[in-house]
Amino acid sequence: LNDDGTTTVLDIDKDQKIALEGMVRDGSVVPGETALDISKATITQDRISLPHGKVNVKHTARVPGRSLSATTGTKRFLAVKVIDRNGLQLPDSTAEISDNIFGTGHHNDAVNLKSQLHDCSFGELDVSIDYSEFPAIQNATASLGVLEVEISADLKKDGRGAIRNAVTMAVEKKLDITLPGPFDYVMYLLEGCYGECGWIAYAYVNDWNTVYQGKKYAAVGVQMHELGHNFNLAHSGGIDGNNYTDYTGMMGNPLFEDEIGKMCFNAAKNWQISWYGGVGDESMYKVKVDPQETPLSSFTLVGIGEFDKNTNDKHPVVVKIETGTNKDYFIGFNRAVGPNAQNVEADNEVTIVQVNGGNGLDYGQSYLKAHLLSDEVYTENHFANTGEPLSIKVNSIDLSTEPATAGINIMFGSDLHECRIDSDCFDDGVYCNGEEICDINVGILGGCVSTGNPCQSGRKCIESTQSCATCDEVKIQLTTDNYAGETSWDIKDSAGATIRSGSGYSIGSHVETIPNLQEGTYTFNIYDSWGDGICCLYGEGSYEVTLCGNTLKQGGTFQRSESTQFTIHSSPTSVPTASPIIQSTNSPTSQPTASPTNQPTKTPTTQPTVAPTSQPTA
């Protein structure tokens, strides 16, 4: 997207495309903020061709006076009705278009883009079509918020980029501005698509422009979906793994009607967007929990459909489950009332969504993992590569109150064994788990927990002798950058012999455990074959080396290699001397494990190919 609002094709190879998409997912490339180094590129009038090799990016400040993904305050909109050189145009008048988008009264369109943005945000975002500060613009518009332009392009013969560029130039000429000018968001409305089709609409991520073809411009679901991309929100996929089939929020593709559009975003997008008290856990209504630190936790959720009624107890509307990676989980209560009354899937159920990158704060595809009724449980058997299960149980859903609530338990390691007193808990027979006691702060009644490793921090519990000993186990936790194949590591003994190594990783997080190390001095080495480390030019990579839970070294910013030395000491076993740390290790009693209710099976309309870094997103 050029400074003058026109577009140029970015020509990159497959490896560069994969790397850029990975950087968008993990947040190291932010659409609208990150600049691409094209100093060595071949540049023609309509194409930029990068040389093979690494893609170099740098962050730049946003344009003064604009905050592209800011989603609060008053935002000025403009809709543009396009007439091509052969007279092809939408059959709707500009007055009808104005009502369909902004609710200006031509045919009393009650549910429209303006009303839904206001209602979903509970007044935090207002759409303005007041151009009184700009008399020339106001005089040029044909109806409130709608400009009509004639373009030199042919809708039936010219490509998508050429048509969009022609619209941009026509608007700029008619209004004597450089887009976006005084507007926060500009919508181009075409009569139809005749080449490079397969899309109903598309948008530029974290930017100001959306493009629509045909009568679907009037569908509130399409309008909200495309504006969501302008807000830096990515698509929402369903349980089936397809990119658009989450019908619990507008970043899937659930609604295509003009007057049916009372639906907002899913839990992951609600965490990212600044509505409901702020972005992420800066809001008191958005709570983060790390199950590896807090194995058992309970929350009472309120749906965003009744956010305005959540004034007394201030229950959370989103709970984020931290994974230690950029692929976190988000839990919400999908209350089907108010601005969410026409929700398509999982009415009044608890929904669980996972992002595929971005930590829930940046652009990242999300997927619906489950939707649960009361007493149903969703379990990830190998949560965050720990080998341990994480379970989310819905204890209650109460629709009789205002606001309605949903009670949930989050349990790491095992399902919850409920209790009232210590005697309700049984001994699991494992010395190194400590004693089993009842924690009344866990669950609806209380939860059985183990008091945990009875040994001092940094010492190892020996189950066979029921004693504590010097630790001889090293754990390596590695999160790669977007060039995972460049990363390797090894552990060498004092003679320089390699006793363990790792390489050939895929992009993501990996854990390696090296047990039973003999007494002696060792060196851990991590390598990057390119020489730029694993953070932070091409992804947020990191590593941590621990000895029985004690951190020996952590980092990610280095050049070709980084080393740290550690020693395994020899000492006799000893009895426990430290107070235990509570952790969940107890085997549970049986609990309901009902599968989520069946999913809708309707097939969405044909979707466009997504390439958010260099092309618009549908």
Side-chain angles (χ1 to χ4, degrees), residues 522-601:
Y522 299 86
T523 302
F524 169 81
N525 306 289
I526 187 168
Y527 309 97
D528 182 87
S529 60
W530 188 267
D532 58 0
I534 58 176
C535 186
C536 301
L537 293 175
Y538 304 101
E540 300 292 325
S542 64
Y543 75 92
E544 182 177 18
V545 183
T546 59
L547 180 65
C548 280
N550 287 342
T551 298
L552 300 174
K553 180 69 174 180
Q554 59 185 353
T557 303
F558 57 94
Q559 293 180 340
R560 289 200 172 273
S561 66
E562 190 164 65
S563 302
T564 188
Q565 196 174 82
F566 61 94
T567 301
I568 302 295
H569 297 283
S570 176
S571 69
T573 59
S574 60
V575 296
T577 59
S579 299
I581 299 173
I582 292 178
Q583 59 183 10
S584 174
T585 56
N586 201 49
S587 299
T589 56
S590 298
Q591 296 216 5
T593 57
S595 298
T597 54
N598 291 334
Q599 310 304 322
T601 57

Side-chain angles (χ1 to χ4, degrees), residues 295-296 411-412 414-427 435-443 445-451 582-589 591:
L296 298 167
M411 300 152 280
F412 177 62
S414 65
D415 289 346
L416 182 66
H417 178 190
E418 294 182 333
C419 59
R420 288 184 173 83
I421 57 176
D422 288 349
S423 61
D424 291 338
C425 302
F426 55 86
D427 186 352
E435 298 180 351
E436 281 61 55
I437 62 173
C438 184
D439 185 345
I440 62 173
N441 296 314
V442 172
L445 299 175
C448 290
V449 298
S450 296
T451 53
I582 292 178
Q583 59 183 10
S584 174
T585 56
N586 201 49
S587 299
T589 56
Q591 296 216 5

Side-chain angles (χ1 to χ4, degrees), residues 160 163 188 190 192-202 211-214 605-609 618:
R160 186 166 77 174
I163 293 169
Y188 294 172
L190 310 178
C193 177
Y194 299 91
E196 300 180 23
C197 299
W199 52 275
I200 291 174
Y202 65 86
V211 182
Y212 306 78
Q213 60 108 342
T605 57
T606 302
Q607 306 303 329
T609 299

Side-chain angles (χ1 to χ4, degrees), residues 95-106:
E96 289 175 303
I97 292 171
S98 178
D99 196 32
N100 285 332
I101 299 175
F102 306 120
T104 51
H106 177 274

